[in-house]
């Protein structure tokens, strides 16, 4: 199974380093020197990480064969994709991979069926569960513990405690 772990940003310096927008909770595992990552678009990879370091709060990577600023800049906006075992789960029991959440039934704490998780939207402020309702409508549920107190992978459901207006707004669309 493939998992997007980062997006390449702009070039940093003149020796081929790039900034990366990390999209994994396990960068030390997925973005370590020696890791070989597939890319999107595919023709830009695969890329092997030679070095990695943090500079001013940003992760900088250098890839094998990328030795100057021009080559680094050509990689801008490329997604880095790691191959993972589909049965692998994050170390933290309160973390989930997107593929574990997609297609879960969503029910309220009172047992009312809301819909199914269609995708996970990763935004800068927080992640959102994109829930497709039975009527075809969509509701965006902030993926925070106060609103999504329970994920039950065995039962294939996500239990939500929606604040007032969250579900009502989606019905009005």
């Amino acid at each position: 199974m493939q998992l997007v772990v980062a997006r390449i940003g702009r070039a940093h310096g003149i020796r081929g380093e790039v900034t990366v927008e990390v999209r994994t909770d396990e960068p030390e595992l997925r973005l370590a020197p020696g890791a070989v990552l597939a890319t999107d678009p595919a023709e830009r990879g695969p890329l092997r990480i030679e070095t990695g370091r943090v500079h001013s709060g940003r992760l900088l990577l250098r890839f094998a064969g990328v030795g100057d600023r021009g080559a680094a800049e050509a990689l801008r906006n490329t997604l880095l994709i790691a191959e993972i075992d589909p049965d692998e789960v994050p170390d933290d029991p309160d973390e989930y991979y997107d593929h574990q959440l997609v297609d879960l039934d969503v029910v309220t704490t009172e047992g009312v069926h809301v819909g199914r998780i269609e995708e996970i939207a990763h935004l800068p402020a927080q992640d959102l569960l994109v829930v497709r309702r039975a009527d075809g409508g969509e509701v965006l549920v902030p993926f925070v513990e106060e609103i999504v107190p329970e994920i039950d992978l065995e039962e294939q459901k996500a239990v939500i405690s929606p604040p007032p207006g969250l579900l009502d707004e989606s019905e009005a669309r």
Side-chain angles (χ1 to χ4, degrees):
M1 165 169 286
Q2 294 188 323
L3 179 70
V4 174
V5 294
R7 184 184 63 81
I8 297 176
R10 64 180 189 225
H12 178 84
I14 61 171
R15 296 196 172 112
E17 282 185 311
V18 295
T19 62
V20 293
E21 173 190 312
V22 177
R23 294 189 179 176
T24 176
D25 290 335
E26 302 168 316
E28 65 285 345
L29 175 66
R30 308 283 181 215
L31 300 171
V36 177
L37 302 168
T39 61
D40 182 10
E43 62 272 6
R44 294 184 183 169
L47 295 173
R48 185 176 58 80
I49 298 174
E50 277 191 347
T51 64
R53 66 186 178 103
V54 176
H55 175 71
S56 297
R58 277 205 158 297
L59 179 60
L60 302 177
L61 297 179
R62 179 177 295 132
F63 300 102
V66 179
D68 61 35
R69 185 174 185 87
E73 194 60 44
L75 295 173
R76 190 173 196 161
N77 293 321
T78 300
L79 295 177
L80 298 175
I81 303 166
E83 188 68 38
I84 65 163
D85 181 340
D87 296 328
E88 183 179 330
V89 295
D91 291 335
D92 185 337
D94 291 328
E95 292 179 6
Y96 303 92
Y97 292 132
D98 290 5
H99 72 272
Q100 294 176 292
L101 300 173
V102 171
D103 288 333
L104 292 184
D105 284 319
V106 178
V107 297
T108 66
T109 51
E110 292 80 29
V112 177
H113 186 265
V114 176
R116 288 178 93 62
I117 298 174
E118 191 170 73
E119 68 177 290
I120 315 306
H122 299 283
L123 303 177
Q126 67 190 19
D127 294 338
L128 296 173
L129 303 177
V130 179
V131 178
R132 180 66 54 200
R133 298 178 70 106
D135 65 6
E138 177 180 277
V139 63
L140 302 176
V141 178
F143 192 29
V144 294
E145 190 172 0
E146 295 79 26
I147 298 174
V148 186
E150 181 184 351
I151 297 289
D152 188 335
L153 295 177
E154 286 184 23
E155 294 286 324
Q156 288 289 289
K157 71 178 180 179
V159 177
I160 66 171
S161 178
L166 180 70
L167 299 180
D168 298 337
E169 281 183 20
S170 65
E171 291 169 356
R173 287 187 215 170

